[in-house]
Amino acid sequence: MAYKNKLYAFALLTISPLSMAQDWNGTVLGFEAPPAPLLGEMLGVRQILNDNGFTYNLGYLNEIGWNGGGGYNHDPHVAYIDQFALTFNQDLERWTGIPDARIEGNIVNRNHNDDLTTKRVQDPRVNFNDLTQESWGGQSITRLGWLTFARSFDDRRLTWRIGMMNKVQTFDQIIPCDFQLLSQCGGKSANSLTWNNWNVHTWGTTLEYKVTPVVTLKGGVMEQNPNASSRSHAWSWSTKGSKGVLLPVEIEARPLINGLPGAYNLGVVFTNAPQTDLYRGKSGGAGASDPAGYDTHNRTWFMYAGLNQQITQHQDDPNRGLSTSFSMSLADQSTNYMHQVYAASLRYRGLFDARPEDWIGFGLTWIDMSSQYARNQRYQNSLSGVADYNNPAYHPVPGHSLNGEFYYRFRPVSWLELQPGIQYWHHPGGVSRTQDAWVTELKTVVSF
């Protein structure tokens, strides 16, 4: 659910000079400056827009996955998805005098809806816990990702944002989304399953306060709406379907360690919206056989954390070097089928002198599924009397999974990036009975 255009948006919307230590340069961490676009200055139109405070990034992405071996279904399939994304920012300070006043927007058009994960790689009888193509959004659709007003106070230390928003504007933005595996794309806050990544909006308001030039405190009140990702909500400003509110709190630090930049965060998300128990029924037994159905919880919690640290610099070039990242999430396994997720990666920008802007990356993700979810699967098998995994009525019992990815990304021209790679899935979907899978990938990004 992301790509290079997202990094441009994040750089514009969430990374101000005040959010960084002096001389903090996040290029090797994955926060590159926008490249020269395909359409250039558009006969001066782009410069005219910039002179009037309107800046934008328009990008195209496609992601291809092919099941090279193993998985739940061995039939060969080439899965293809693509999207266009427009992210824009209209400066209002020049006309209003309000510090940092701006209108922020994001529109995403997704196409093809072709998901290799559930079609071939993992058993479709269990919930998916990762994606071979992170930008698959479940629909071919054009959506409003966000439309918000923001401004600053207290000598630009406090930033306030309000409107139809997405969490990526404020929270969990220390790790880029360069891998094609969803579990390696950015942080882990989306694993709460109570808010959405990237192109889905809900109402809310957030505050960011710069305690120091390095440390930022973030908080907010956001609508918790399970219908937000539905087609009817794509352009809606209605709160129909809302179940409660989300209260996210995060602390972020962007220090220099041994002279090299890093980004660290720790966040907690609380919601008062009803969440369905994965096993227990309203009468206290198993929900699968309870006449009153599954129990609900009036509140639940979720925690995420991460780090992204440059660890070497290539000779005297601050834009080349090795970085490492780690991110994790911990959820209430009574209501969330992904209990624990841990992801680690290594990235190198400019490994070869002849290709100083190329990237190479390697990542591993461990996913531990909820014991309550597994308990419910076992109970449903006992109810039906089905013990044969090959029986379509069988409910597979998930445990843990380990996914890995290796990629190389090169830029033949400034506006084009090509990223081939390979993925390995151990226990896809957490099901040990599913054969380990190999997936070949290709991601293409065009900046207009």
Side-chain angles (χ1 to χ4, degrees):
M1 316 180 176
Y3 62 107
K4 194 60 172 286
N5 209 42
K6 297 181 183 180
L7 298 183
Y8 308 158
F10 302 156
L12 287 170
L13 303 178
T14 66
I15 306 173
S16 69
L18 281 174
S19 70
M20 294 174 263
Q22 186 177 7
D23 299 325
W24 193 95
N25 176 359
T27 301
V28 174
L29 302 182
F31 299 101
E32 298 179 288
L38 171 63
L39 300 180
E41 293 302 313
M42 298 188 302
L43 301 176
V45 173
R46 189 186 296 267
Q47 186 60 50
I48 293 173
L49 293 173
N50 291 346
D51 290 343
N52 285 277
F54 185 84
T55 56
Y56 73 92
N57 288 284
L58 176 62
Y60 168 78
L61 162 80
N62 69 53
E63 292 180 343
I64 299 171
W66 173 68
N67 52 322
Y72 178 76
N73 185 334
H74 297 179
D75 292 340
H77 179 67
V78 177
Y80 174 88
I81 61 171
D82 66 9
Q83 69 179 26
F84 291 88
L86 171 66
T87 301
F88 60 89
N89 190 317
Q90 176 60 60
D91 176 25
L92 301 178
E93 181 177 3
R94 65 184 63 203
W95 295 312
T96 66
I98 301 173
D100 290 333
R102 60 192 184 272
I103 299 294
E104 308 158 329
N106 169 263
I107 299 171
V108 179
N109 166 254
R110 283 184 168 169
N111 300 286
H112 303 297
N113 195 27
D114 192 7
D115 172 34
L116 186 68
T117 308
T118 55
K119 286 185 175 181
R120 294 292 188 272
V121 176
Q122 78 154 69
D123 193 324
R125 295 172 294 181
V126 295
N127 296 332
F128 68 81
N129 60 13
D130 207 347
L131 289 173
T132 60
Q133 302 140 282
E134 49 80 20
S135 281
W136 177 74
Q139 300 178 68
S140 292
I141 191 173
T142 301
R143 290 183 176 280
L144 175 67
W146 61 76
L147 185 62
T148 54
F149 169 80
R151 63 155 299 179
S152 66
F153 300 88
D154 191 20
D155 196 24
R156 304 182 190 271
R157 284 189 289 268
L158 177 67
T159 299
W160 172 52
R161 179 176 283 116
I162 189 170
M164 295 181 287
M165 61 175 46
N166 187 280
K167 72 177 187 67
V168 303
Q169 294 178 269
T170 304
F171 300 101
D172 200 17
Q173 290 307 309
I174 66 166
I175 298 174
C177 184
D178 48 351
F179 288 86
Q180 190 166 300
L181 270 177
L182 177 62
S183 63
Q184 287 289 333
C185 170
K188 298 294 168 286
S189 57
N191 292 343
S192 71
L193 306 180
T194 56
W195 54 3
N196 298 92
N197 265 342
W198 187 227
N199 68 330
V200 177
H201 66 271
T202 56
W203 284 98
T205 184
T206 62
L207 292 171
E208 302 175 62
Y209 185 71
K210 305 304 302 179
V211 180
T212 72
V214 171
V215 177
T216 305
L217 292 179
K218 306 177 183 183
V221 179
M222 300 176 68
E223 173 193 3
Q224 207 283 304
N225 191 338
N227 294 334
S229 60
S230 66
R231 182 171 292 272
S232 62
H233 197 271
W235 291 89
S236 173
W237 56 81
S238 170
T239 58
K240 183 179 180 181
S242 294
K243 301 298 183 182
V245 296
L246 293 169
L247 301 174
V249 177
E250 180 182 321
I251 182 171
E252 179 188 290
R254 294 182 179 243
L256 292 173
I257 298 178
N258 294 325
L260 298 176
Y264 300 76
N265 70 353
L266 173 65
V268 176
V269 182
F270 172 85
T271 179
N272 67 352
Q275 306 293 316
T276 302
D277 196 280
L278 294 175
Y279 173 78
R280 193 178 66 198
K282 291 184 181 295
S283 303
S289 58
D290 192 328
Y294 288 88
D295 195 12
T296 58
H297 299 259
N298 293 327
R299 61 187 66 87
T300 192
W301 58 271
F302 176 84
M303 186 188 79
Y304 62 92
L307 65 88
N308 187 7
Q309 178 66 50
Q310 183 175 345
I311 54 179
T312 70
Q313 179 174 301
H314 190 95
Q315 298 176 356
D316 295 326
D317 189 344
N319 294 325
R320 297 172 64 188
L322 178 68
S323 66
T324 184
S325 70
F326 173 82
S327 58
M328 59 83 65
S329 65
L330 180 64
D332 181 353
Q333 59 182 332
S334 296
T335 58
N336 191 317
Y337 66 87
M338 289 188 291
H339 180 213
Q340 301 176 79
V341 181
Y342 302 93
S345 67
L346 291 171
R347 298 174 178 83
Y348 203 109
R349 186 180 194 270
L351 180 62
F352 306 111
D353 291 339
R355 308 292 309 171
E357 295 184 346
D358 285 5
W359 288 83
I360 189 169
F362 173 72
L364 289 172
T365 306
W366 173 277
I367 304 172
D368 184 42
M369 303 296 278
S370 162
S371 63
Q372 294 299 94
Y373 177 47
R375 185 182 182 188
N376 188 65
Q377 295 286 91
R378 283 192 294 267
Y379 184 76
Q380 291 192 75
N381 288 331
S382 68
L383 280 179
S384 62
V386 176
D388 181 9
Y389 174 79
N390 296 314
N391 189 319
Y394 182 79
H395 291 78
V397 180
H400 68 269
S401 60
L402 178 66
N403 298 340
E405 179 181 352
F406 174 83
Y407 76 78
Y408 187 88
R409 183 170 82 218
F410 63 97
R411 184 181 291 170
V413 290
S414 65
W415 47 266
L416 174 64
E417 292 181 348
L418 300 173
Q419 182 174 305
I422 190 168
Q423 302 172 13
Y424 179 71
W425 291 58
H426 177 62
H427 295 174
V431 179
S432 61
R433 297 290 300 272
T434 304
Q435 185 178 350
D436 291 357
W438 290 95
V439 174
T440 304
E441 64 181 33
L442 176 62
K443 178 161 68 170
T444 302
V445 176
V446 180
S447 299
F448 295 100

